[in-house]
């Protein structure tokens, strides 16, 4: 059984050598130094960072988002999310004959504009991009100044599908 003892003695010594605290520290040190030397020279993809808006600059809001400036007094589903656009109805629907008018400020030029919120009629509710901003909205007893109304009421079909935000023109400054 001598060979057996010798074999195990040798294996144990080798194992002890391999996993000794000192050799582990040496290995760890090598890894750390190697990482510190190699990482800074690796090519990083900085394209994502370049796509970020510059500090202080706001990301542009498109007309599929409730925060788009023309929707400041819109209550309904955005037609731009329903197959239409900000100022046109989706196919198969018809623009309401009556509407309510809001006043919104265009952040690009700082001017106020009149916006006509016409509903698109003739199909069931679109159900996408529901927005509810109420700038200038008045209680329902002043119907013409209220946005929570189905403006398809005067159309052949009073079924409400979505709401547009048609630009009417620049608002006059109050004197
Ligand atoms: N003007 C949008 C709308 C339609 C139906 C009911 C409430 C609001």
């Amino acid at each position: 059984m001598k060979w057996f003892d010798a074999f195990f003695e040798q294996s144990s010594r080798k194992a002890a050598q391999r996993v000794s605290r000192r050799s582990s520290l040496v290995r760890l040190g090598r890894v750390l130094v190697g990482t510190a030397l190699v990482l800074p020279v690796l090519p990083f993809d900085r394209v994502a960072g370049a796509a970020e808006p510059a500090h202080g600059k706001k990301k542009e809001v498109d007309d599929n988002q409730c925060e788009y400036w023309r929707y400041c007094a819109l209550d309904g589903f955005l037609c731009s999310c329903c197959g239409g656009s900000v100022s046109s109805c989706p196919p198969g629907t018809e623009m309401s004959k009556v509407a309510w008018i809001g006043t919104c400020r265009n952040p690009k030029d700082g001017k106020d504009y009149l916006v006509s919120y016409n509903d698109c009629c003739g199909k069931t509710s679109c159900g996408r991009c529901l927005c509810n901003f109420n700038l200038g909205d008045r209680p329902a007893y002043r119907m013409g100044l209220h946005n929570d109304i189905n403006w398809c009421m005067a159309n052949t079909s009073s079924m409400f599908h979505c709401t547009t935000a048609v630009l009417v023109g620049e608002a006059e400054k109050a004197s």
Side-chain angles (χ1 to χ4, degrees):
M1 289 297 263
K2 236 180 177 181
W3 65 270
F4 189 75
D5 289 341
F7 172 76
F8 273 98
E9 188 188 350
Q10 214 175 10
S11 316
S12 313
R13 279 183 193 283
K14 272 188 185 162
Q17 227 172 18
R18 249 186 289 130
V19 295
S20 77
R21 211 182 315 165
R22 190 187 296 174
S23 68
S24 304
L25 284 175
V26 167
R27 272 185 198 195
L28 183 65
R30 276 189 200 143
V31 170
L32 288 178
V33 170
T35 309
L37 289 176
V38 170
L39 267 186
V41 292
L42 285 179
F44 283 101
D45 181 7
R46 297 176 208 277
V47 174
E52 289 282 304
H55 184 68
K57 260 196 177 175
K58 277 191 186 154
K59 243 178 95 184
E60 196 138 317
V61 178
D62 67 38
D63 58 21
N64 287 329
Q65 295 170 272
C66 292
E67 291 72 23
Y68 182 60
W69 71 275
R70 272 205 227 176
Y71 302 148
C72 78
L74 181 150
D75 178 358
F77 305 110
L78 302 183
C79 287
S80 51
C81 295
C82 303
S85 75
V86 64
S87 55
S88 68
C89 286
T93 64
E94 164 185 74
M95 201 165 266
S96 65
K97 300 200 187 313
V98 285
W100 96 283
I101 308 279
T103 305
C104 303
R105 182 158 297 168
N106 183 345
K108 279 203 173 143
D109 60 10
K111 290 181 182 165
D112 291 334
Y113 291 88
L114 297 179
V115 180
S116 179
Y117 296 106
N118 290 72
D119 290 336
C120 293
C121 320
K123 273 187 177 177
T124 53
S125 285
C126 158
R128 284 192 289 279
C129 304
L130 175 64
C131 302
N132 187 10
F133 284 121
N134 301 296
L135 199 71
D137 179 37
R138 292 288 176 271
Y141 60 80
R142 293 199 60 185
M143 208 179 92
L145 297 179
H146 189 56
N147 67 1
D148 193 13
I149 282 182
N150 181 357
W151 292 104
C152 293
M153 62 178 97
N155 285 53
T156 316
S157 167
S158 60
M159 248 192 295
F160 162 72
H161 186 64
C162 63
T163 306
T164 59
V166 182
L167 207 56
V168 177
E170 196 179 335
E172 274 184 19
K173 286 191 183 75
S175 50

